[in-house]
Structures are given as structure tokens and as C-alpha cells.
Amino acid sequence: MYSEKVMDHFTNPRNVGEIPDADGIGMVGNPVCGDVMKLFIKVDGGRIADVKFKTFGCGAAIATSSMVTELVKGKTLEEAMTISNKAVAEALDGLPANKMHCSNLAADALHAAIRDYLAKRDGQAQAGHGH
Amino acid sequence: MEKIYLDHAATTPMRPEVLDAMLPYLKDRFGNPSSIHSFGREARKALDEARDKIAAIIGAGPDEIIFTSGGTEADNSAIKGIALARRDKGNHIITSSIEHHAVLDSCKALEKQGFKVTYLPVDQYGLVRPEDVRSAITDETILISIMHANNEVGTIEPIAEIARVAREKGVYFHTDAVQTVGQIPVNVEDLGVDMLSLSAHKFYGPKGVGALYVRKGVRALPFMHGGGQERGRRAGTENVPGIVGMAYALELAVKEMDENIKKVSGLRDALIRGVTERIDHVRVNGHPVKRLPGNASFCFEFVEGESILLNLDMKGIAGSSGSACTSGSLEPSHVLLAMGLPHEIAHGSLRLTLGRDNTMEQVRYVLDVLPEIISKLRSMSPFGRTAQ
Ligand code: FES
């Protein structure tokens, strides 16, 4: 039921783990089936310098998590923001229809991590003004 | 790589002897049992013999057996057949929250037609309490349906006790015995049930054939109308090869039952012991002793069932899971939830069901590879500890 690419990313997921001093963390749950993905990013010069994930979920959830980390590495934040669940699914040569919702998890976690980074950065900038 | 089949609750491989017994009825003995000529008579004879055999094994009379296309049809016709036949007597049905979907969804369909259904809760082991059945019965109750053993967690229900309650109150009682017939002793008199469903492919027989036992005097409206087969209770030309195969498979299963229970439950115990010794944060689902000989059901915390299944499959091991991700509906197992397990624990469920061809060697192999799989998945999980 899964493509070879999905099985490859599921079996050998890239970038599994955590970034202890991450600049942004996105954690999202899949409302459909209850799975959870946590994504960590490190930002350098407006680009995603490093990215890691942890996922509690099905084969498609793990594979899309792995794929999204591959897709965003080195991308600018703006570019990364435009990565959709569809793009992740396509990069994996597609997902079964009933597993498309799993790819939302990866895209949402990525976007949440970027927003977290931006919020923190803006917060610090404001705090800086106060001095 | 050797393939290890540990999904016998889903289906079993047909025994070669059973296939041999069926072959003549797929070839030269193709007659229609309703025909009067020699071809028909030959098929009729085989049909009658199969009926006698199955009836005798479960303690019924031959005229109390209705052949069906399987367990689902047997469940559907029992529940809908009784409900519709007894509509004038009342509109209340009692079942449990852990039934197979063939029963649950039949009840739900009847709810849409105005029937009221009580879905009884179960305890932490998946047991239905006979007291709960008693207190759920009202003047309107026309049918109780509780499964003999649960397909997911293997818990064997106190059917004889529940049947006594039903009889005392004059309510018909049906049991879905798809998981027990051919596995453990099943006798309709000992159980005291009015109706019982069984399915051939769960005991090394062919798919697409099953039976419904209906106690003499119990009136159920037929589900299929047509040529008057099965004494007008189930129209349609009988699946003669399938029925012959089912009867023979059951005969063999019963002949080897004691030996098989000993063997399979020994493997099961070794598997459960091994898993709980080697892996932490694991729960065994179902009752510790009132359980099917072949059923081992676990929940591994912090991991998801489909991921476990895919990893096992890559190692040649076939199992199943009640995880939301593996179900078409993306709902976690209703059985595990009814037993009080939270959604995220039910998510990590793994069911391994053993059968007559499995060996201790295979169990050892599973015990070798499973801890690594769980530990790998846990290291990827945002929950719990990173290493197990
Ligand atoms: S994340 Fe649960 S089905 Fe994929």
C-alpha cells in the first residue's frame, strides 16, 4: 500500500531526534487519528540550518516527517513556509488516499516551528527595545 | 526469509486435507442439492452428512443448523431476523460494547429502524458482567447478543451464566462464537444459547461459509428470500464444497482440540512472558486466564501500532493492531477503549494470534526482533523515555 520511497523513509528515517538548543519547536497532533509530531529547527541567516523530528504515528506519519526535514534543510523561512502537505506527499511518490491526512502533520509541524521561531525572535527584538 | 503467520484470529490457512475433501464437489459432484436426479442426490447426501456432523459436534439437531456465507451473515440474520420477527413483543436489544462489527453494526442498523439498543460496558479484562445483563433487561427486551470470545483481546465471556439470566427472563440469547468454535469446546446445550454463529475459515476451513445455529422453536425472519433452501430460512443454492470443507475442518479441529489447546496456549504463554520480560511499558490486554489459547494482545506505550506492524512485516512476521492508523475509519479499537484504555495507549496495540502450525522456534524469533523494533520506534517518539 505504501510506495518504495515511503518505505525507505519509514525504514531509515532521516533527521530523527531533538535539537536541544532549537530556535523553533513545532508540536502538532493529528486530530483525525491522534498521532503527534514534534519538529525542531535551527535558523541561521534566515535559512533553516538544521532540522530534527520525533513522531508518534503510523508509517506515513514517520515517512512524511522524515521527508519534510529533507525538503526544508537549507531553505529560507519564506520558502519553507510554502511547503505544503501535498508537496511532501508528492516527494514520497504519493500516499494512499486514507493516509493523506498524515502528511498534514509534517507540514503543520514545520509551519508551527517556524512561527515559534518568529515569535521568539520578535519577542526578543521587543525586549531589546526596552533597554 | 521465513514467513511467520501470527494472525490466526483474522483467518487461518485451509488444511490441505480439507481442500482434498472439497475438490470432488468442485468437480464431478457439482450437482444442486435441490435437484431430484442422481447429481442432485449426491450433493444432497454430502450436504446432509455435513449438517449432521456439525450439529453433532456443537450439540445441536441437524434441523437447527442454517448454512450461511460466513460469520457476518450468521450474525446479521440472527440479530435482524429475531428483531424483525419479535417486533410486536418489544423493541429493546442488549449487546456489549466489544462485539464484532457484524453484531454492532447490525444493532446500529436496527436503531435506525426504531429499536433501542443497550451496549453493555465491560471490565478492565473485557468481561461482560451477567448482573449488568440482568439489570439491563426490560419488558421490551427481545434479544441479547454477547460474543463467546473477543477477537481482539481473546477474553472468553461467561456465556452460560448470561444465558441463564436470559432464559430466566424469557429473552432470546445469541452468541457470536466465530472465535471459539473449533478452538475450544463449544456446546449449545452447555452454553444454553438460542442462537450461535460460526465461521469455517477461523478453524482451517474455507472462506465464504459459516453457519447459524437456531434452537428449535425460535422464530427468526429469513434474511434471504428465494428458492426455499434451508427449510425456507436461508434461500440460495447451498455452497456444497464449502459446507463439506467446513464440516471436515471442524471434525479435524475437534479431534485434535485437546492437543492443540495445549500446544498453542504453551506458545502463547511463552510469547506473553517473553514480551513482558524483555520490553517495559507494555500491557497485556484481556483476561489472564479466561482467554483464547492463541491470543496474545499487547499495548506498547509511546509507539503506534501500524509502525510496529510494518516493522514486523519487514522481518516476515504477520500480526495485527487496533491502532486508529490501521483501521479504515481511523478510530482506535472500540474494544480497547471499552476496556478503559486511553486513546494513546490503544494506539500502540499489537495482536499476535497463534495457530496450529506455529512453533516455539518462531516465538523465539519474535522475541528476538520485537524488542529492537519497539526500542527503535520509541527512540523516534516524542513521548516517554527516548530509550526503552
Ligand atoms: S498519522 Fe495516524 S494514520 Fe497516519
Side-chain angles (χ1 to χ4, degrees):
Chain A
M1 74 174 202
Y2 286 135
S3 71
E4 262 176 52
K5 259 219 178 116
V6 172
M7 284 314 286
D8 173 38
H9 277 264
F10 171 72
T11 322
N12 307 299
R14 335 297 198 241
N15 306 308
V16 182
E18 304 184 0
I19 302 179
D21 55 341
D23 296 319
I25 299 177
M27 175 137 156
V28 296
N30 190 333
V32 184
C33 62
D35 292 340
V36 176
M37 175 179 181
K38 201 169 177 182
L39 195 124
F40 306 78
I41 55 169
K42 196 84 192 140
V43 180
D44 191 12
R47 284 182 187 274
I48 295 186
D50 196 12
V51 50
K52 290 228 164 10
F53 81 90
K54 287 223 159 169
T55 291
F56 168 64
C58 73
I62 290 174
T64 50
S65 307
S66 165
M67 182 48 97
V68 86
T69 61
E70 291 244 288
L71 289 178
V72 297
K73 248 196 197 166
K75 291 254 159 54
T76 66
L77 295 179
E78 293 68 36
E79 287 165 345
M81 261 332 244
T82 66
I83 292 179
S84 64
N85 66 321
K86 261 224 186 101
V88 182
E90 270 163 29
L92 286 165
D93 294 340
L95 286 170
N98 65 334
K99 291 285 179 179
M100 274 308 286
H101 70 96
C102 318
S103 59
N104 293 331
L105 203 58
D108 290 352
L110 170 66
H111 301 155
I114 295 174
R115 277 195 299 273
D116 179 49
Y117 162 74
L118 293 174
K120 277 187 194 150
R121 190 193 60 183
D122 294 349
Q124 265 162 20
Q126 272 185 13
H129 272 286
H131 275 274
Chain B
M1 185 172 52
E2 188 203 2
K3 283 202 184 178
I4 302 179
Y5 186 75
L6 296 177
D7 202 11
H8 290 84
T11 192
T12 56
M14 194 161 77
R15 297 176 68 144
E17 313 89 294
V18 171
L19 176 63
D20 290 343
M22 289 168 68
L23 278 176
Y25 298 93
L26 290 159
K27 293 184 188 165
D28 328 327
R29 300 188 205 163
F30 59 85
N32 184 327
S34 299
S35 304
I36 205 147
H37 45 61
S38 64
F39 293 87
R41 291 198 308 272
E42 193 173 39
R44 164 68 51 192
K45 189 164 165 275
L47 190 65
D48 288 346
E49 283 173 10
R51 193 188 304 280
D52 289 347
K53 228 183 249 175
I54 292 168
I57 287 174
I58 65 166
D63 51 352
E64 295 176 312
I65 301 292
I66 301 171
F67 291 122
T68 68
S69 64
T72 293
E73 187 193 320
D75 286 343
N76 269 267
S77 24
I79 291 166
K80 295 177 191 167
I82 288 289
L84 298 177
R86 296 182 64 79
R87 198 160 212 171
D88 53 330
K89 306 265 191 303
N91 72 341
H92 182 229
I93 297 166
I94 298 171
T95 187
S96 85
S97 44
I98 62 161
E99 297 298 309
H100 189 275
H101 280 294
V103 167
L104 285 181
D105 292 356
S106 293
C107 288
K108 291 206 180 106
L110 288 170
E111 277 182 303
K112 290 214 178 86
Q113 295 185 36
F115 287 90
K116 299 249 177 317
V117 181
T118 301
Y119 300 92
L120 293 175
V122 292
D123 70 8
Q124 55 172 322
Y125 300 119
L127 284 172
V128 174
R129 286 166 288 245
E131 318 85 83
D132 287 354
V133 177
R134 182 184 293 276
S135 47
I137 296 175
T138 70
D139 292 346
E140 291 285 310
T141 311
I142 47 171
L143 173 68
I144 300 168
S145 178
I146 307 285
M147 70 201 322
H148 192 190
N150 182 267
N151 47 310
E152 288 187 36
V153 297
T155 300
I156 301 171
E157 301 295 340
I159 293 304
E161 266 177 81
I162 298 171
R164 266 198 299 279
V165 173
R167 189 155 295 176
E168 200 183 294
K169 299 276 188 177
V171 181
Y172 285 151
F173 183 41
H174 164 257
T175 190
D176 173 351
V178 163
Q179 291 292 329
T180 51
V181 171
Q183 313 295 337
I184 59 173
V186 173
N187 181 293
V188 293
E189 286 308 323
D190 296 348
L191 291 176
V193 296
D194 299 305
M195 278 174 293
L196 177 145
S197 305
L198 63 95
S199 170
H201 75 101
K202 306 287 187 181
F203 48 82
Y204 308 91
K207 291 177 180 56
V209 60
L212 177 65
Y213 156 77
V214 182
R215 182 178 297 279
K216 225 189 198 128
V218 173
R219 200 172 71 90
L221 284 190
F223 195 57
M224 303 267 259
H225 301 91
Q229 290 87 350
E230 301 295 287
R231 301 168 313 288
R233 306 180 94 171
R234 201 277 189 185
T237 298
E238 298 86 346
N239 173 1
V240 179
I243 291 165
V244 167
M246 170 162 69
Y248 191 46
L250 187 57
E251 189 181 357
L252 292 172
V254 168
K255 207 183 281 171
E256 298 165 7
M257 189 173 281
D258 291 344
E259 194 191 325
N260 202 55
I261 290 177
K262 220 196 252 161
K263 178 193 156 177
V264 173
S265 58
L267 296 177
R268 173 202 64 192
D269 293 344
L271 180 61
I272 292 178
R273 208 179 318 116
V275 167
T276 50
E277 274 170 13
R278 284 163 209 233
I279 302 174
D280 58 12
H281 292 267
V282 57
R283 315 182 182 205
V284 178
N285 305 312
H287 197 278
V289 285
K290 292 176 192 158
R291 82 182 296 136
L292 289 171
N295 179 289
S297 169
F298 308 98
C299 281
F300 299 96
E301 291 178 39
F302 322 128
V303 294
E304 188 280 322
E306 190 202 87
S307 303
I308 307 175
L309 292 185
L310 290 172
N311 275 293
L312 282 173
D313 189 46
M314 286 189 274
K315 301 276 186 194
I317 302 164
S320 81
S321 169
S323 158
C325 300
T326 55
S327 78
S329 63
L330 294 167
E331 292 286 330
S333 150
H334 64 289
V335 176
L336 299 174
L337 295 186
M339 285 162 60
L341 292 186
H343 188 135
E344 67 275 15
I345 301 288
H347 224 49
S349 79
L350 172 68
R351 179 188 74 176
L352 300 175
T353 43
L354 298 132
R356 57 190 295 274
D357 298 324
N358 292 128
T359 62
M360 194 55 90
E361 196 80 318
Q362 294 178 327
V363 168
R364 269 188 228 115
Y365 175 68
V366 174
L367 292 175
D368 267 355
V369 303
L370 189 58
E372 279 169 42
I373 290 173
I374 299 298
S375 136
K376 176 181 154 192
L377 290 172
R378 280 183 180 165
S379 72
M380 291 165 59
S381 168
F383 299 125
R385 291 160 314 135
T386 43
Q388 66 90 35

